[in-house]
Amino acid sequence: MTDKRKYYLTTPIYYTNGLPHIGHTYSTIVCDTVRRYKRMRGYDVVMTTGTDEHGVNVERSAKKAGVPESEFVAKMAAEWRALWDELGVQGDEFIRTTDLKHAHTVQWLFKQCRENGFVYPGHYTGQYCIYDNAYVDVKPGENCPDCGRSTETVTEANYFFKLSAFQKPLLQWYAKHPDFIQPEARRNEVLSFVEGGLRDLSITRTTIRWGIPVPGEEPHVFYVWFDALTAYLSAVGGPQYEKTGFWPADVHLVGKEIIRFHAVYWPAFLMAAGLPLPKQIWAHGWLLMDSTKMSKSLGNVVRPRPIVHVLGMDALRYYLLRETVFGQDGNFSYDALVQRYNSDLANGLGNLASRTAAMIEKNSGGKIPKPAALQPSDSALATQAQAAIGDVVEQYDNLAFSRALEQIWSLIAATDKYLTTEHPWSLGESDADQQRRATILWTTAEVLRIATALTHPVLPESTTKVWSLLGQPGQPGSIALDNLRWGQLVPGTPLGKSQALFPRIEKAEAIERMESMENEAQKQPSPAVAPMPASTPAAIGTAAAAAPQATPEKIGIEDFAKVEMRVGQIKTAERIVGADKLLKLTVDIGTEIRQICAGIAQYYEPEKLIGRKVAVVVNLAPRKLRGVESNGMIVAASVGPEGRPVLAGFPDEDVEIGARLK
Ligand code: MSP
């Protein structure tokens, strides 16, 4: 049992039809910084991030890459995950919209909305922007007003969500919760949008295959935004959200272009289902490149990896949070990045840490000296440092990262100035001089300790090094900011090992290295486009059985655990006209009845299969075989040169339907 206050924050979930650039990185780093900060304030924090893997864009990208969608998204999701690790992002839950638990949550939410009378069937014709995955309010032939790309006229059978019924409840909610949408400019934008009237929203698609099926309503799949937004709920228990205690979310951090989905659709879906609403939606601005939004389609992206490689992850984190006022747009330039690195990190924090340690090493035998009575100059610095604690905490609370960092860096600058004025290196060896030097060095080290603790949420890697250099136990992230005070640095504490912090780097050289890595990266195909290793499943219902490999690729248990296999019972079986190898089965898998196509028609009589228990892969993405939806796979051995399928079964015992195979 924990009596800690809970705090739940989310990044948007990222589309897997592309690789991360530093615009995406910005959303996630902000969230990670808040997560670290809240932890230091004593909260039990959960932060989620993840990937948005359905929709026609992915369908098209996978086709272009010549691989099945499931393989395509798995590779892309792995890339996103790896990148967050490289940036020190501590996500607690990485949610993929192809996760089974997510599909269950989406289906459950839909059921709630439908049972409460907010869903109805209909037809829709409109101009659709495939890039934004949204119908847009333009005439045929006109381009998308948001992204400027061409639109397509689409007519399809849909389920509609009665968004129009929520105009009043939403306006009432905004009025009662004035901080719900941040910053103010975005709130005004959303308010006028809702005041202008809301049209019902189609929330299923029949023109898309790659999506979560609407149970019993095939070929309907969920519209990407109904699917994606629900990820916030699936990450913390889905239908059982009450058990985790993390719903409603404290804040959804999003980019400004997706505020409407979060501040209008999402609360309306939740109201319709009778669920609690998130406490706040915070929209940040864009990272611009030459005054234009950085985006893959415009070809002006900068990726995080070359920056991390040349300057370190903290340099990128610092730059993104220091250079942009949170909520507004900010410009990216390599020049400004390296400039910040050299002036603030190498000459600022890095230099202060190494010179303080060197002076203590030399004058105090490598131990924190004992201060005598503070002089006015020492006390002035103490007052500034103590005030910074309260101010910075307040600024982090308001997500005013650049102001928080500005204040910490003015403390660092004041300390540099203090050292220049007090020049401890020119003091002699008399008792009075030694005491004075000890006081100055202790004061400097104490400022450094406080600045390090306050900067930790932004610079997790380097502050951990400074922390151990100062001989402090554990990690700066594990201290309680609420207990941080001037005067806690214990004299006599031995310094830790000194480690390289921010080596100065020549600007032109750094830029050249980053740019050439970036150019190389741009030439590489995305991981999902690279050739895939041959797979060998005796897969019925997906691909033809492949020949066994001489030396199969080894996988870890965690890879195997991703395949969810369960005992299923065949309820009905029938031949498919025009497909002489396929049978259409309905299979009870314990939680639902699935329709699955199996390539066994030449070897099994349909009527003899009824009641038979089989092994079913239940978390395989649905696909169509000869126009028939197949949602899962029956496991069978592939025997002999012709690959005759022999169904895996359970002859020894009457196993329970739905039992998992592990
Ligand atoms: N999949 C949707 C979000 C679903 S959330 C339930 C999506 N994905 S995205 O990959 O296009 O964008 C994810 C986030 O990255 C958004 O918050 C977006 O604002 C952010 N950014 C993408 N490019 C950006 C910049 N150039 N600058 C800052 N953030 C930007 O939208």
Side-chain angles (χ1 to χ4, degrees):
M1 265 304 271
T2 166
D3 55 1
K4 281 187 175 178
R5 293 164 296 173
K6 290 183 191 271
Y7 192 88
Y8 175 33
L9 80 161
T10 63
T11 77
I13 53 169
Y14 299 93
Y15 288 132
T16 42
N17 56 327
L19 288 171
H21 56 67
I22 60 169
H24 306 115
T25 305
Y26 181 62
S27 288
T28 300
I29 285 179
V30 164
C31 245
D32 182 67
T33 300
V34 176
R35 177 189 188 275
R36 289 171 184 275
Y37 163 69
K38 286 285 177 186
R39 286 243 154 145
M40 292 176 81
R41 293 296 306 282
Y43 285 86
D44 181 9
V45 190
V46 163
M47 167 184 148
T48 59
T49 186
T51 38
D52 190 353
E53 304 184 359
H54 289 127
V56 74
N57 277 327
V58 167
E59 224 171 73
R60 289 182 184 179
S61 301
K63 196 165 174 208
K64 206 165 138 204
V67 295
E69 290 92 347
S70 53
E71 264 179 57
F72 183 85
V73 293
K75 289 232 161 190
M76 296 302 262
E79 265 297 298
W80 283 87
R81 246 180 150 131
L83 179 79
W84 301 145
D85 285 346
E86 287 164 37
L87 286 165
V89 170
Q90 296 181 329
D92 300 287
E93 174 82 25
F94 188 97
I95 189 96
R96 297 181 54 192
T97 53
T98 50
D99 288 343
L100 195 61
K101 71 173 181 187
H102 172 68
H104 286 157
T105 308
V106 173
Q107 292 168 341
W108 172 79
L109 189 75
F110 177 77
K111 196 163 159 261
Q112 305 302 308
C113 294
R114 194 178 192 177
E115 281 172 5
N116 292 340
F118 294 110
V119 168
Y120 63 92
H123 274 87
Y124 188 83
T125 300
Q127 290 308 113
Y128 192 75
C129 170
I130 335 167
Y131 183 81
D132 293 335
N133 278 312
Y135 281 103
V136 286
D137 204 4
V138 294
K139 295 200 179 73
E142 287 179 2
N143 289 350
C144 169
D146 292 330
C147 70
R149 291 178 182 79
S150 58
T151 59
E152 293 176 9
T153 308
V154 174
T155 298
E156 58 177 328
N158 285 173
Y159 274 97
F160 281 82
F161 176 80
K162 278 191 198 164
L163 188 62
S164 56
F166 291 92
Q167 185 191 24
K168 226 170 137 197
L170 281 170
L171 290 172
Q172 279 166 349
W173 179 269
Y174 303 146
K176 219 169 142 205
H177 303 87
D179 295 335
F180 181 64
I181 304 165
Q182 291 288 333
E184 190 66 22
R186 301 288 155 236
R187 177 183 150 82
N188 295 338
E189 186 185 298
V190 171
L191 277 183
S192 52
F193 173 72
V194 177
E195 278 160 358
L198 296 174
R199 276 196 292 166
D200 290 352
L201 182 72
S202 91
I203 52 165
T204 70
R205 296 279 182 272
T206 45
T207 46
I208 300 174
R209 190 177 50 80
W210 181 239
I212 297 174
V214 182
E217 303 286 352
E218 291 81 4
H220 283 266
V221 297
F222 288 101
Y223 163 55
V224 284
W225 279 99
F226 191 86
D227 169 350
L229 290 160
T230 309
Y232 298 138
L233 191 59
S234 358
V236 289
Q240 267 87 47
Y241 68 90
E242 275 170 333
K243 282 198 193 139
T244 65
F246 280 100
W247 190 259
D250 288 271
V251 60
H252 293 314
L253 272 162
V254 300
K256 65 179 180 182
E257 80 281 21
I258 54 175
I259 185 78
R260 199 178 286 179
F261 300 104
H262 284 80
V264 182
Y265 294 4
W266 183 223
F269 296 157
L270 291 167
M271 281 178 181
L275 295 171
L277 267 53
K279 293 179 197 153
Q280 196 169 60
I281 318 286
W282 234 109
H284 64 70
W286 286 338
L287 217 54
L288 310 175
M289 193 71 178
D290 306 323
S291 309
T292 322
K293 183 184 180 225
M294 189 180 288
S295 93
K296 189 183 154 206
S297 52
L298 298 173
N300 62 352
V301 298
V302 169
R303 281 173 238 224
R305 246 181 214 139
I307 300 175
V308 173
H309 189 82
V310 175
L311 301 176
M313 76 179 197
D314 278 1
L316 178 58
R317 293 175 66 109
Y318 179 79
Y319 175 79
L320 291 179
L321 293 184
R322 173 72 180 76
E323 197 78 358
T324 314
V325 174
F326 192 69
Q328 296 176 16
D329 291 348
N331 240 309
F332 175 83
S333 84
Y334 281 120
D335 199 280
L337 168 70
V338 185
Q339 181 67 36
R340 280 268 172 226
Y341 172 87
N342 277 332
S343 66
D344 296 13
L345 298 178
N347 292 350
L349 180 64
N351 183 46
L352 180 64
S354 53
R355 73 200 280 223
T356 306
M359 286 188 290
I360 293 177
E361 203 59 63
K362 183 165 172 232
N363 296 293
S364 177
K367 291 188 175 157
I368 301 288
K370 188 171 184 323
L374 299 194
Q375 303 287 315
S377 61
D378 315 324
S379 302
L381 203 55
T383 309
Q384 188 176 345
Q386 183 63 48
I389 299 173
D391 292 350
V392 168
V393 160
E394 198 182 317
Q395 283 144 3
Y396 277 138
D397 275 337
N398 296 326
L399 310 187
F401 307 106
S402 56
R403 279 183 40 217
L405 293 172
E406 233 168 73
Q407 183 149 4
I408 301 168
W409 257 258
S410 66
L411 181 63
I412 292 174
T415 313
D416 283 338
K417 197 162 161 226
Y418 163 83
L419 281 174
T420 311
T421 324
E422 300 298 321
H423 44 81
W425 45 86
S426 52
L427 290 167
E429 290 309 313
S430 68
D431 277 1
D433 272 7
Q434 282 193 29
Q435 276 191 14
R436 183 68 200 132
R437 187 163 47 233
T439 308
I440 298 167
L441 294 189
W442 179 87
T443 303
T444 308
E446 177 59 339
V447 178
L448 186 60
R449 183 185 73 92
I450 288 173
T452 304
L454 293 176
T455 322
H456 179 72
V458 182
L459 304 181
E461 193 174 50
S462 41
T463 51
T464 303
K465 289 183 187 167
V466 178
W467 199 247
S468 73
L469 176 65
L470 287 173
Q472 300 304 297
Q475 303 261 333
S478 52
I479 70 153
L481 275 183
D482 291 352
N483 299 332
L484 182 67
R485 305 256 181 294
W486 176 265
Q488 291 164 327
L489 182 64
V490 181
T493 308
L495 292 188
K497 231 176 74 213
S498 119
Q499 305 172 57
L501 275 172
F502 301 107
R504 263 192 77 83
I505 191 159
E506 213 265 309
K507 198 194 260 180
E509 181 210 323
I511 296 178
E512 216 240 82
R513 281 173 61 196
M514 288 186 285
E515 280 183 338
S516 71
M517 274 183 80
E518 178 62 49
N519 292 339
E520 272 311 300
Q522 306 258 0
K523 283 189 221 146
Q524 299 297 320
S526 77
V529 181
M532 299 281 162
S535 59
T536 58
I540 300 176
T542 45
Q549 282 177 303
T551 45
E553 191 198 349
K554 295 265 187 296
I555 58 164
I557 188 74
E558 66 288 356
D559 285 321
F560 177 68
K562 285 185 200 149
V563 182
E564 195 180 331
M565 266 187 283
R566 296 197 179 269
V567 175
Q569 187 173 42
I570 300 177
K571 293 287 173 195
T572 63
E574 57 181 278
R575 295 189 187 277
I576 299 174
V577 185
D580 50 2
K581 290 188 180 150
L582 286 182
L583 287 186
K584 184 165 98 179
L585 312 172
T586 51
V587 184
D588 184 354
I589 58 162
T591 46
E592 60 180 289
I593 310 272
R594 289 277 185 89
Q595 175 173 298
I596 300 176
C597 295
I600 54 175
Q602 290 168 319
Y603 304 93
Y604 287 90
E605 288 298 325
E607 47 290 351
K608 292 204 179 129
L609 287 171
I610 316 290
R612 183 162 177 155
K613 286 189 177 161
V614 285
V616 185
V617 179
V618 298
N619 62 339
L620 203 64
R623 54 184 1 227
K624 267 196 187 141
L625 295 165
R626 296 295 189 97
V628 181
E629 177 90 22
S630 181
N631 193 357
M633 188 178 90
I634 312 283
V635 179
S638 175
V639 178
E642 84 284 20
R644 176 171 60 88
V646 177
L647 292 175
F650 309 92
D652 294 336
E653 204 175 312
D654 189 20
V655 288
E656 195 186 33
I657 297 170
R660 181 147 187 200
L661 278 77
K662 295 182 182 181

